[in-house]
Amino acid sequence: MAVPTSRRAALARLIGWAALLVAHANEDTIRLRSGLRMPANGLGTCCRKTARGQPIIDATKEYLRVGGRLIDTAMAYRNHEEIGEALRASGVKREDVWITSKLASGTVNSYAKGLAAVDNILQEIGTTYLDLVLIHSPKMGKEKAIAVWKALIDARKAGKAQ
């Protein structure tokens, strides 16, 4: 029985991602096209009862204590302040930790809102820059996504994102 083309393509993408993960499994960092080196593994801070408040502060501090250096967060997780508190309490220098955050595409759907969201994330975490800022989902439509993307480009030019 033949596998439909769309399923074959999805499987190929999945295998591609798996191959990428396996290829980098023993690496501490991954070199990005920009030349930056991003930690290969990180702490995801979403989607569990302990993703906010003292539990995420404690988990993040412990993660940093044992040598973890990439934190993944997002506007939708509503834990930027806790992540910032944990980072400050950990004693680890900001420049030694890679912070990725994502813009909430349900509310951040214009250039101005994109710039404001980056500034708000920076304020909530208590940092001057993010290592990576993503659009959490492109489900806002092409024109709005392009406007938000342009805001991210300008945030990078302003030194607010790497």
Side-chain angles (χ1 to χ4, degrees):
M1 183 162 118
V3 177
T5 304
S6 62
R7 291 194 69 203
R8 279 196 310 257
L11 182 59
R13 283 192 303 274
L14 179 61
I15 290 170
W17 278 108
L20 178 66
L21 291 173
V22 168
H24 293 287
N26 293 321
E27 293 185 30
D28 292 334
T29 62
I30 298 170
R31 185 183 173 280
L32 302 179
R33 213 171 98 183
S34 66
L36 293 173
R37 296 202 66 88
M38 180 178 82
N41 296 292
L43 175 67
T45 64
C46 170
C47 309
R48 58 187 178 274
K49 291 179 183 178
T50 58
R52 297 188 64 209
Q54 196 60 48
I56 196 64
I57 294 169
D58 293 342
T60 303
K61 287 188 328 190
E62 180 63 11
Y63 169 77
L64 293 168
R65 186 191 69 76
V66 299
R69 292 298 181 262
L70 184 151
I71 300 170
D72 175 78
T73 186
M75 290 175 66
Y77 310 164
R78 298 179 306 172
N79 60 13
H80 287 136
E81 291 176 357
E82 290 98 326
I83 298 304
E85 182 178 333
L87 179 59
R88 288 185 296 280
S90 74
V92 176
K93 292 187 284 186
R94 166 62 186 97
E95 60 268 19
D96 293 337
V97 178
W98 181 282
I99 301 175
T100 296
S101 190
K102 295 172 277 307
L103 304 183
S105 51
T107 56
V108 181
N109 52 21
S110 70
Y111 177 86
K113 289 179 180 179
L115 289 179
V118 170
D119 286 341
N120 192 51
I121 293 168
L122 294 174
Q123 181 180 354
E124 288 177 349
I125 294 175
T127 188
T128 58
Y129 70 97
L130 296 166
D131 297 282
L132 179 62
V133 186
L134 303 169
I135 299 171
H136 211 147
S137 169
K139 295 180 181 179
M140 64 182 82
K142 182 178 178 179
E143 290 178 16
K144 291 178 181 178
I146 290 170
V148 174
W149 184 253
K150 287 179 179 179
L152 293 179
I153 290 169
D154 286 347
R156 183 174 183 217
K157 287 177 184 175
K160 297 176 182 182
Q162 293 199 61

mmCIF file of all heavy atoms in Angstrom, residues 2-55:
data_model
loop_
_atom_site.group_PDB
_atom_site.id
_atom_site.type_symbol
_atom_site.label_atom_id
_atom_site.label_comp_id
_atom_site.label_asym_id
_atom_site.label_seq_id
_atom_site.Cartn_x
_atom_site.Cartn_y
_atom_site.Cartn_z
ATOM 1 N N ALA A 2 0.654 2.151 -0.892
ATOM 2 C CA ALA A 2 1.457 3.371 -1.012
ATOM 3 C C ALA A 2 1.061 4.382 0.065
ATOM 4 O O ALA A 2 -0.105 4.532 0.402
ATOM 5 C CB ALA A 2 1.255 3.990 -2.397
ATOM 6 N N VAL A 3 2.072 5.068 0.580
ATOM 7 C CA VAL A 3 1.843 6.124 1.565
ATOM 8 C C VAL A 3 1.534 7.409 0.808
ATOM 9 O O VAL A 3 2.255 7.755 -0.138
ATOM 10 C CB VAL A 3 3.095 6.316 2.453
ATOM 11 C CG1 VAL A 3 2.896 7.459 3.414
ATOM 12 C CG2 VAL A 3 3.429 5.032 3.187
ATOM 13 N N PRO A 4 0.448 8.120 1.159
ATOM 14 C CA PRO A 4 0.118 9.381 0.465
ATOM 15 C C PRO A 4 1.297 10.359 0.505
ATOM 16 O O PRO A 4 2.073 10.390 1.456
ATOM 17 C CB PRO A 4 -1.075 9.925 1.253
ATOM 18 C CG PRO A 4 -1.646 8.747 1.972
ATOM 19 C CD PRO A 4 -0.504 7.809 2.216
ATOM 20 N N THR A 5 1.415 11.162 -0.537
ATOM 21 C CA THR A 5 2.520 12.103 -0.671
ATOM 22 C C THR A 5 2.658 13.014 0.546
ATOM 23 O O THR A 5 3.762 13.225 1.040
ATOM 24 C CB THR A 5 2.349 12.951 -1.953
ATOM 25 O OG1 THR A 5 2.245 12.070 -3.055
ATOM 26 C CG2 THR A 5 3.517 13.881 -2.147
ATOM 27 N N SER A 6 1.564 13.557 1.043
ATOM 28 C CA SER A 6 1.643 14.470 2.197
ATOM 29 C C SER A 6 2.178 13.751 3.424
ATOM 30 O O SER A 6 2.937 14.311 4.208
ATOM 31 C CB SER A 6 0.285 15.097 2.489
ATOM 32 O OG SER A 6 -0.655 14.097 2.824
ATOM 33 N N ARG A 7 1.802 12.496 3.615
ATOM 34 C CA ARG A 7 2.305 11.723 4.757
ATOM 35 C C ARG A 7 3.774 11.387 4.566
ATOM 36 O O ARG A 7 4.541 11.388 5.518
ATOM 37 C CB ARG A 7 1.476 10.457 4.951
ATOM 38 C CG ARG A 7 0.056 10.811 5.423
ATOM 39 C CD ARG A 7 -0.689 9.652 5.938
ATOM 40 N NE ARG A 7 -0.113 9.215 7.197
ATOM 41 C CZ ARG A 7 -0.250 7.998 7.668
ATOM 42 N NH1 ARG A 7 -0.940 7.100 6.993
ATOM 43 N NH2 ARG A 7 0.275 7.663 8.812
ATOM 44 N N ARG A 8 4.184 11.095 3.307
ATOM 45 C CA ARG A 8 5.600 10.829 3.034
ATOM 46 C C ARG A 8 6.429 12.064 3.336
ATOM 47 O O ARG A 8 7.499 11.975 3.930
ATOM 48 C CB ARG A 8 5.796 10.405 1.581
ATOM 49 C CG ARG A 8 5.498 8.946 1.311
ATOM 50 C CD ARG A 8 6.068 8.495 -0.019
ATOM 51 N NE ARG A 8 5.728 9.368 -1.130
ATOM 52 C CZ ARG A 8 4.803 9.116 -2.043
ATOM 53 N NH1 ARG A 8 4.107 8.006 -1.986
ATOM 54 N NH2 ARG A 8 4.588 9.962 -3.014
ATOM 55 N N ALA A 9 5.929 13.227 2.932
ATOM 56 C CA ALA A 9 6.658 14.474 3.187
ATOM 57 C C ALA A 9 6.765 14.741 4.684
ATOM 58 O O ALA A 9 7.826 15.130 5.177
ATOM 59 C CB ALA A 9 5.965 15.647 2.486
ATOM 60 N N ALA A 10 5.677 14.511 5.414
ATOM 61 C CA ALA A 10 5.706 14.704 6.865
ATOM 62 C C ALA A 10 6.682 13.737 7.512
ATOM 63 O O ALA A 10 7.445 14.107 8.412
ATOM 64 C CB ALA A 10 4.301 14.528 7.448
ATOM 65 N N LEU A 11 6.691 12.505 7.052
ATOM 66 C CA LEU A 11 7.618 11.513 7.589
ATOM 67 C C LEU A 11 9.058 11.901 7.284
ATOM 68 O O LEU A 11 9.936 11.779 8.140
ATOM 69 C CB LEU A 11 7.298 10.132 7.014
ATOM 70 C CG LEU A 11 8.143 8.971 7.515
ATOM 71 C CD1 LEU A 11 8.023 8.840 9.032
ATOM 72 C CD2 LEU A 11 7.719 7.686 6.841
ATOM 73 N N ALA A 12 9.301 12.390 6.069
ATOM 74 C CA ALA A 12 10.648 12.823 5.701
ATOM 75 C C ALA A 12 11.113 13.972 6.587
ATOM 76 O O ALA A 12 12.264 14.009 7.018
ATOM 77 C CB ALA A 12 10.686 13.237 4.226
ATOM 78 N N ARG A 13 10.199 14.920 6.882
ATOM 79 C CA ARG A 13 10.561 16.035 7.769
ATOM 80 C C ARG A 13 10.885 15.510 9.163
ATOM 81 O O ARG A 13 11.847 15.931 9.791
ATOM 82 C CB ARG A 13 9.441 17.065 7.819
ATOM 83 C CG ARG A 13 9.389 17.960 6.596
ATOM 84 C CD ARG A 13 8.465 19.161 6.808
ATOM 85 N NE ARG A 13 7.112 18.790 7.153
ATOM 86 C CZ ARG A 13 6.145 18.502 6.272
ATOM 87 N NH1 ARG A 13 6.419 18.539 4.979
ATOM 88 N NH2 ARG A 13 4.940 18.186 6.671
ATOM 89 N N LEU A 14 10.066 14.583 9.647
ATOM 90 C CA LEU A 14 10.289 14.011 10.964
ATOM 91 C C LEU A 14 11.626 13.282 11.016
ATOM 92 O O LEU A 14 12.404 13.445 11.954
ATOM 93 C CB LEU A 14 9.150 13.062 11.331
ATOM 94 C CG LEU A 14 9.261 12.362 12.688
ATOM 95 C CD1 LEU A 14 9.283 13.395 13.816
ATOM 96 C CD2 LEU A 14 8.109 11.403 12.883
ATOM 97 N N ILE A 15 11.921 12.499 9.991
ATOM 98 C CA ILE A 15 13.200 11.793 9.940
ATOM 99 C C ILE A 15 14.345 12.801 9.860
ATOM 100 O O ILE A 15 15.377 12.624 10.497
ATOM 101 C CB ILE A 15 13.223 10.801 8.755
ATOM 102 C CG1 ILE A 15 12.254 9.643 9.042
ATOM 103 C CG2 ILE A 15 14.636 10.275 8.496
ATOM 104 C CD1 ILE A 15 12.003 8.735 7.864
ATOM 105 N N GLY A 16 14.137 13.870 9.111
ATOM 106 C CA GLY A 16 15.156 14.922 9.030
ATOM 107 C C GLY A 16 15.450 15.530 10.391
ATOM 108 O O GLY A 16 16.605 15.714 10.766
ATOM 109 N N TRP A 17 14.386 15.832 11.152
ATOM 110 C CA TRP A 17 14.580 16.377 12.501
ATOM 111 C C TRP A 17 15.271 15.369 13.399
ATOM 112 O O TRP A 17 16.165 15.709 14.175
ATOM 113 C CB TRP A 17 13.251 16.805 13.119
ATOM 114 C CG TRP A 17 12.826 18.153 12.675
ATOM 115 C CD1 TRP A 17 11.811 18.457 11.830
ATOM 116 C CD2 TRP A 17 13.422 19.404 13.022
ATOM 117 N NE1 TRP A 17 11.732 19.817 11.638
ATOM 118 C CE2 TRP A 17 12.717 20.419 12.360
ATOM 119 C CE3 TRP A 17 14.491 19.754 13.826
ATOM 120 C CZ2 TRP A 17 13.038 21.758 12.471
ATOM 121 C CZ3 TRP A 17 14.811 21.098 13.944
ATOM 122 C CH2 TRP A 17 14.092 22.075 13.264
ATOM 123 N N ALA A 18 14.864 14.098 13.297
ATOM 124 C CA ALA A 18 15.490 13.056 14.117
ATOM 125 C C ALA A 18 16.966 12.944 13.779
ATOM 126 O O ALA A 18 17.812 12.822 14.671
ATOM 127 C CB ALA A 18 14.773 11.725 13.913
ATOM 128 N N ALA A 19 17.290 12.999 12.498
ATOM 129 C CA ALA A 19 18.688 12.925 12.077
ATOM 130 C C ALA A 19 19.479 14.112 12.615
ATOM 131 O O ALA A 19 20.622 13.964 13.068
ATOM 132 C CB ALA A 19 18.785 12.869 10.553
ATOM 133 N N LEU A 20 18.861 15.292 12.590
ATOM 134 C CA LEU A 20 19.514 16.476 13.130
ATOM 135 C C LEU A 20 19.781 16.313 14.624
ATOM 136 O O LEU A 20 20.874 16.606 15.105
ATOM 137 C CB LEU A 20 18.653 17.720 12.889
ATOM 138 C CG LEU A 20 19.181 19.043 13.428
ATOM 139 C CD1 LEU A 20 20.455 19.442 12.699
ATOM 140 C CD2 LEU A 20 18.133 20.125 13.294
ATOM 141 N N LEU A 21 18.793 15.815 15.347
ATOM 142 C CA LEU A 21 18.965 15.603 16.788
ATOM 143 C C LEU A 21 20.059 14.582 17.071
ATOM 144 O O LEU A 21 20.895 14.776 17.949
ATOM 145 C CB LEU A 21 17.648 15.163 17.428
ATOM 146 C CG LEU A 21 16.554 16.216 17.487
ATOM 147 C CD1 LEU A 21 15.257 15.607 17.985
ATOM 148 C CD2 LEU A 21 16.974 17.374 18.367
ATOM 149 N N VAL A 22 20.063 13.483 16.325
ATOM 150 C CA VAL A 22 21.087 12.462 16.523
ATOM 151 C C VAL A 22 22.457 13.021 16.175
ATOM 152 O O VAL A 22 23.434 12.780 16.890
ATOM 153 C CB VAL A 22 20.767 11.201 15.677
ATOM 154 C CG1 VAL A 22 21.947 10.249 15.641
ATOM 155 C CG2 VAL A 22 19.531 10.510 16.229
ATOM 156 N N ALA A 23 22.538 13.789 15.103
ATOM 157 C CA ALA A 23 23.817 14.356 14.681
ATOM 158 C C ALA A 23 24.408 15.275 15.738
ATOM 159 O O ALA A 23 25.624 15.397 15.852
ATOM 160 C CB ALA A 23 23.641 15.117 13.366
ATOM 161 N N HIS A 24 23.550 15.912 16.531
ATOM 162 C CA HIS A 24 24.022 16.860 17.539
ATOM 163 C C HIS A 24 23.915 16.315 18.962
ATOM 164 O O HIS A 24 24.144 17.049 19.919
ATOM 165 C CB HIS A 24 23.243 18.172 17.434
ATOM 166 C CG HIS A 24 23.510 18.910 16.161
ATOM 167 N ND1 HIS A 24 24.685 19.568 15.916
ATOM 168 C CD2 HIS A 24 22.761 19.052 15.043
ATOM 169 C CE1 HIS A 24 24.647 20.100 14.714
ATOM 170 N NE2 HIS A 24 23.486 19.803 14.163
ATOM 171 N N ALA A 25 23.590 15.034 19.112
ATOM 172 C CA ALA A 25 23.339 14.461 20.432
ATOM 173 C C ALA A 25 24.534 14.584 21.369
ATOM 174 O O ALA A 25 24.361 14.748 22.573
ATOM 175 C CB ALA A 25 22.921 12.995 20.298
ATOM 176 N N ASN A 26 25.722 14.511 20.834
ATOM 177 C CA ASN A 26 26.918 14.569 21.685
ATOM 178 C C ASN A 26 27.581 15.938 21.687
ATOM 179 O O ASN A 26 28.684 16.085 22.187
ATOM 180 C CB ASN A 26 27.919 13.497 21.248
ATOM 181 C CG ASN A 26 27.377 12.110 21.515
ATOM 182 O OD1 ASN A 26 26.747 11.889 22.539
ATOM 183 N ND2 ASN A 26 27.596 11.200 20.591
ATOM 184 N N GLU A 27 26.924 16.917 21.117
ATOM 185 C CA GLU A 27 27.472 18.262 21.069
ATOM 186 C C GLU A 27 26.881 19.114 22.181
ATOM 187 O O GLU A 27 25.716 18.970 22.531
ATOM 188 C CB GLU A 27 27.175 18.920 19.722
ATOM 189 C CG GLU A 27 27.902 18.261 18.569
ATOM 190 C CD GLU A 27 27.681 18.998 17.268
ATOM 191 O OE1 GLU A 27 27.494 20.223 17.289
ATOM 192 O OE2 GLU A 27 27.701 18.325 16.227
ATOM 193 N N ASP A 28 27.701 19.986 22.715
ATOM 194 C CA ASP A 28 27.215 20.905 23.739
ATOM 195 C C ASP A 28 26.448 22.066 23.136
ATOM 196 O O ASP A 28 25.532 22.600 23.753
ATOM 197 C CB ASP A 28 28.385 21.453 24.557
ATOM 198 C CG ASP A 28 29.046 20.389 25.406
ATOM 199 O OD1 ASP A 28 28.378 19.407 25.767
ATOM 200 O OD2 ASP A 28 30.235 20.545 25.707
ATOM 201 N N THR A 29 26.849 22.470 21.937
ATOM 202 C CA THR A 29 26.206 23.607 21.277
ATOM 203 C C THR A 29 25.991 23.298 19.798
ATOM 204 O O THR A 29 26.625 22.411 19.236
ATOM 205 C CB THR A 29 27.057 24.896 21.390
ATOM 206 O OG1 THR A 29 28.315 24.681 20.738
ATOM 207 C CG2 THR A 29 27.270 25.299 22.837
ATOM 208 N N ILE A 30 25.115 24.092 19.205
ATOM 209 C CA ILE A 30 24.855 24.024 17.777
ATOM 210 C C ILE A 30 25.195 25.388 17.198
ATOM 211 O O ILE A 30 24.733 26.408 17.707
ATOM 212 C CB ILE A 30 23.373 23.685 17.498
ATOM 213 C CG1 ILE A 30 23.024 22.311 18.064
ATOM 214 C CG2 ILE A 30 23.073 23.770 16.003
ATOM 215 C CD1 ILE A 30 21.546 22.005 18.057
ATOM 216 N N ARG A 31 25.996 25.417 16.151
ATOM 217 C CA ARG A 31 26.358 26.677 15.504
ATOM 218 C C ARG A 31 25.226 27.085 14.570
ATOM 219 O O ARG A 31 24.837 26.347 13.676
ATOM 220 C CB ARG A 31 27.653 26.536 14.711
ATOM 221 C CG ARG A 31 28.125 27.849 14.127
ATOM 222 C CD ARG A 31 29.389 27.634 13.275
ATOM 223 N NE ARG A 31 29.745 28.834 12.584
ATOM 224 C CZ ARG A 31 29.168 29.270 11.456
ATOM 225 N NH1 ARG A 31 28.189 28.588 10.910
ATOM 226 N NH2 ARG A 31 29.555 30.381 10.881
ATOM 227 N N LEU A 32 24.692 28.277 14.799
ATOM 228 C CA LEU A 32 23.630 28.810 13.956
ATOM 229 C C LEU A 32 24.217 29.530 12.756
ATOM 230 O O LEU A 32 25.403 29.893 12.740
ATOM 231 C CB LEU A 32 22.749 29.754 14.774
ATOM 232 C CG LEU A 32 22.098 29.158 16.017
ATOM 233 C CD1 LEU A 32 21.287 30.210 16.746
ATOM 234 C CD2 LEU A 32 21.235 27.957 15.655
ATOM 235 N N ARG A 33 23.397 29.769 11.770
ATOM 236 C CA ARG A 33 23.843 30.455 10.558
ATOM 237 C C ARG A 33 24.459 31.820 10.867
ATOM 238 O O ARG A 33 25.365 32.280 10.182
ATOM 239 C CB ARG A 33 22.652 30.610 9.612
ATOM 240 C CG ARG A 33 23.044 30.529 8.170
ATOM 241 C CD ARG A 33 21.830 30.460 7.316
ATOM 242 N NE ARG A 33 21.577 31.811 6.830
ATOM 243 C CZ ARG A 33 20.561 32.147 6.100
ATOM 244 N NH1 ARG A 33 19.652 31.270 5.779
ATOM 245 N NH2 ARG A 33 20.421 33.375 5.685
ATOM 246 N N SER A 34 23.976 32.456 11.912
ATOM 247 C CA SER A 34 24.482 33.773 12.300
ATOM 248 C C SER A 34 25.879 33.704 12.900
ATOM 249 O O SER A 34 26.519 34.726 13.104
ATOM 250 C CB SER A 34 23.546 34.401 13.334
ATOM 251 O OG SER A 34 23.581 33.628 14.533
ATOM 252 N N GLY A 35 26.325 32.487 13.218
ATOM 253 C CA GLY A 35 27.610 32.315 13.872
ATOM 254 C C GLY A 35 27.489 32.101 15.372
ATOM 255 O O GLY A 35 28.428 31.655 16.016
ATOM 256 N N LEU A 36 26.337 32.434 15.930
ATOM 257 C CA LEU A 36 26.117 32.206 17.360
ATOM 258 C C LEU A 36 26.096 30.712 17.648
ATOM 259 O O LEU A 36 25.724 29.912 16.800
ATOM 260 C CB LEU A 36 24.785 32.815 17.802
ATOM 261 C CG LEU A 36 24.675 34.328 17.778
ATOM 262 C CD1 LEU A 36 23.237 34.751 18.077
ATOM 263 C CD2 LEU A 36 25.629 34.942 18.785
ATOM 264 N N ARG A 37 26.489 30.359 18.862
ATOM 265 C CA ARG A 37 26.442 28.972 19.298
ATOM 266 C C ARG A 37 25.360 28.846 20.366
ATOM 267 O O ARG A 37 25.438 29.478 21.409
ATOM 268 C CB ARG A 37 27.798 28.513 19.804
ATOM 269 C CG ARG A 37 28.821 28.539 18.649
ATOM 270 C CD ARG A 37 30.008 27.659 18.869
ATOM 271 N NE ARG A 37 29.708 26.244 18.908
ATOM 272 C CZ ARG A 37 29.670 25.432 17.845
ATOM 273 N NH1 ARG A 37 29.860 25.916 16.644
ATOM 274 N NH2 ARG A 37 29.419 24.148 17.991
ATOM 275 N N MET A 38 24.359 28.036 20.063
ATOM 276 C CA MET A 38 23.226 27.830 20.953
ATOM 277 C C MET A 38 23.391 26.490 21.665
ATOM 278 O O MET A 38 23.748 25.496 21.030
ATOM 279 C CB MET A 38 21.937 27.811 20.118
ATOM 280 C CG MET A 38 20.679 27.593 20.917
ATOM 281 S SD MET A 38 19.197 27.653 19.876
ATOM 282 C CE MET A 38 19.191 25.999 19.235
ATOM 283 N N PRO A 39 23.155 26.443 22.983
ATOM 284 C CA PRO A 39 23.213 25.148 23.660
ATOM 285 C C PRO A 39 22.301 24.140 22.970
ATOM 286 O O PRO A 39 21.200 24.468 22.516
ATOM 287 C CB PRO A 39 22.719 25.467 25.074
ATOM 288 C CG PRO A 39 23.084 26.912 25.264
ATOM 289 C CD PRO A 39 22.858 27.539 23.904
ATOM 290 N N ALA A 40 22.764 22.900 22.886
ATOM 291 C CA ALA A 40 22.029 21.863 22.166
ATOM 292 C C ALA A 40 20.813 21.364 22.951
ATOM 293 O O ALA A 40 19.874 20.849 22.365
ATOM 294 C CB ALA A 40 22.955 20.696 21.839
ATOM 295 N N ASN A 41 20.830 21.508 24.255
ATOM 296 C CA ASN A 41 19.730 21.038 25.096
ATOM 297 C C ASN A 41 19.310 22.154 26.031
ATOM 298 O O ASN A 41 20.128 22.977 26.425
ATOM 299 C CB ASN A 41 20.170 19.822 25.920
ATOM 300 C CG ASN A 41 20.504 18.655 25.032
ATOM 301 O OD1 ASN A 41 19.621 18.097 24.399
ATOM 302 N ND2 ASN A 41 21.775 18.303 24.962
ATOM 303 N N GLY A 42 18.035 22.150 26.403
ATOM 304 C CA GLY A 42 17.577 23.224 27.259
ATOM 305 C C GLY A 42 16.414 22.828 28.138
ATOM 306 O O GLY A 42 15.897 21.715 28.062
ATOM 307 N N LEU A 43 16.006 23.771 28.960
ATOM 308 C CA LEU A 43 14.876 23.603 29.869
ATOM 309 C C LEU A 43 13.644 24.233 29.255
ATOM 310 O O LEU A 43 13.586 25.449 29.061
ATOM 311 C CB LEU A 43 15.177 24.266 31.218
ATOM 312 C CG LEU A 43 14.035 24.271 32.235
ATOM 313 C CD1 LEU A 43 13.734 22.845 32.697
ATOM 314 C CD2 LEU A 43 14.388 25.152 33.424
ATOM 315 N N GLY A 44 12.658 23.410 28.934
ATOM 316 C CA GLY A 44 11.369 23.907 28.484
ATOM 317 C C GLY A 44 10.538 24.260 29.699
ATOM 318 O O GLY A 44 10.515 23.516 30.676
ATOM 319 N N THR A 45 9.871 25.398 29.665
ATOM 320 C CA THR A 45 9.171 25.875 30.867
ATOM 321 C C THR A 45 7.667 25.944 30.677
ATOM 322 O O THR A 45 6.995 26.742 31.309
ATOM 323 C CB THR A 45 9.719 27.253 31.289
ATOM 324 O OG1 THR A 45 9.428 28.205 30.259
ATOM 325 C CG2 THR A 45 11.210 27.209 31.549
ATOM 326 N N CYS A 46 7.141 25.089 29.833
ATOM 327 C CA CYS A 46 5.719 25.144 29.498
ATOM 328 C C CYS A 46 4.934 23.938 29.982
ATOM 329 O O CYS A 46 5.495 22.883 30.221
ATOM 330 C CB CYS A 46 5.573 25.212 27.978
ATOM 331 S SG CYS A 46 3.877 25.011 27.397
ATOM 332 N N CYS A 47 3.664 24.180 30.040
ATOM 333 C CA CYS A 47 2.643 23.133 29.952
ATOM 334 C C CYS A 47 2.633 22.116 31.082
ATOM 335 O O CYS A 47 2.458 20.928 30.850
ATOM 336 C CB CYS A 47 2.765 22.421 28.606
ATOM 337 S SG CYS A 47 2.803 23.567 27.223
ATOM 338 N N ARG A 48 2.843 22.561 32.284
ATOM 339 C CA ARG A 48 2.697 21.686 33.440
ATOM 340 C C ARG A 48 2.281 22.540 34.630
ATOM 341 O O ARG A 48 2.444 23.754 34.616
ATOM 342 C CB ARG A 48 3.978 20.914 33.726
ATOM 343 C CG ARG A 48 5.198 21.802 33.980
ATOM 344 C CD ARG A 48 6.463 20.971 34.088
ATOM 345 N NE ARG A 48 7.633 21.772 34.287
ATOM 346 C CZ ARG A 48 8.356 22.323 33.317
ATOM 347 N NH1 ARG A 48 8.008 22.139 32.061
ATOM 348 N NH2 ARG A 48 9.417 23.031 33.591
ATOM 349 N N LYS A 49 1.768 21.915 35.652
ATOM 350 C CA LYS A 49 1.317 22.652 36.829
ATOM 351 C C LYS A 49 2.448 23.451 37.467
ATOM 352 O O LYS A 49 2.207 24.467 38.103
ATOM 353 C CB LYS A 49 0.726 21.692 37.855
ATOM 354 C CG LYS A 49 -0.577 21.070 37.426
ATOM 355 C CD LYS A 49 -1.090 20.105 38.481
ATOM 356 C CE LYS A 49 -2.364 19.434 37.998
ATOM 357 N NZ LYS A 49 -2.865 18.462 38.971
ATOM 358 N N THR A 50 3.678 22.972 37.294
ATOM 359 C CA THR A 50 4.823 23.618 37.923
ATOM 360 C C THR A 50 5.491 24.661 37.023
ATOM 361 O O THR A 50 6.610 25.074 37.282
ATOM 362 C CB THR A 50 5.861 22.557 38.322
ATOM 363 O OG1 THR A 50 6.250 21.839 37.140
ATOM 364 C CG2 THR A 50 5.307 21.600 39.352
ATOM 365 N N ALA A 51 4.799 25.118 35.976
ATOM 366 C CA ALA A 51 5.394 26.065 35.027
ATOM 367 C C ALA A 51 5.315 27.512 35.482
ATOM 368 O O ALA A 51 5.809 28.397 34.799
ATOM 369 C CB ALA A 51 4.737 25.925 33.656
ATOM 370 N N ARG A 52 4.717 27.750 36.641
ATOM 371 C CA ARG A 52 4.622 29.120 37.160
ATOM 372 C C ARG A 52 4.888 29.111 38.650
ATOM 373 O O ARG A 52 4.815 28.090 39.318
ATOM 374 C CB ARG A 52 3.234 29.692 36.863
ATOM 375 C CG ARG A 52 2.998 29.803 35.355
ATOM 376 C CD ARG A 52 1.748 30.513 34.977
ATOM 377 N NE ARG A 52 1.788 31.892 35.410
ATOM 378 C CZ ARG A 52 0.708 32.588 35.721
ATOM 379 N NH1 ARG A 52 -0.485 32.045 35.630
ATOM 380 N NH2 ARG A 52 0.808 33.835 36.099
ATOM 381 N N GLY A 53 5.190 30.300 39.165
ATOM 382 C CA GLY A 53 5.381 30.453 40.600
ATOM 383 C C GLY A 53 6.673 29.828 41.105
ATOM 384 O O GLY A 53 7.631 29.634 40.358
ATOM 385 N N GLN A 54 6.681 29.517 42.393
ATOM 386 C CA GLN A 54 7.887 29.000 43.039
ATOM 387 C C GLN A 54 8.399 27.699 42.421
ATOM 388 O O GLN A 54 9.619 27.531 42.306
ATOM 389 C CB GLN A 54 7.648 28.817 44.546
ATOM 390 C CG GLN A 54 8.930 28.665 45.344
ATOM 391 C CD GLN A 54 9.847 29.879 45.226
ATOM 392 O OE1 GLN A 54 9.417 31.020 45.364
ATOM 393 N NE2 GLN A 54 11.124 29.633 44.956
ATOM 394 N N PRO A 55 7.536 26.782 41.973
ATOM 395 C CA PRO A 55 8.066 25.554 41.364
ATOM 396 C C PRO A 55 8.963 25.801 40.152
ATOM 397 O O PRO A 55 10.011 25.161 40.019
ATOM 398 C CB PRO A 55 6.812 24.768 40.985
ATOM 399 C CG PRO A 55 5.779 25.222 41.965
ATOM 400 C CD PRO A 55 6.071 26.688 42.163
#
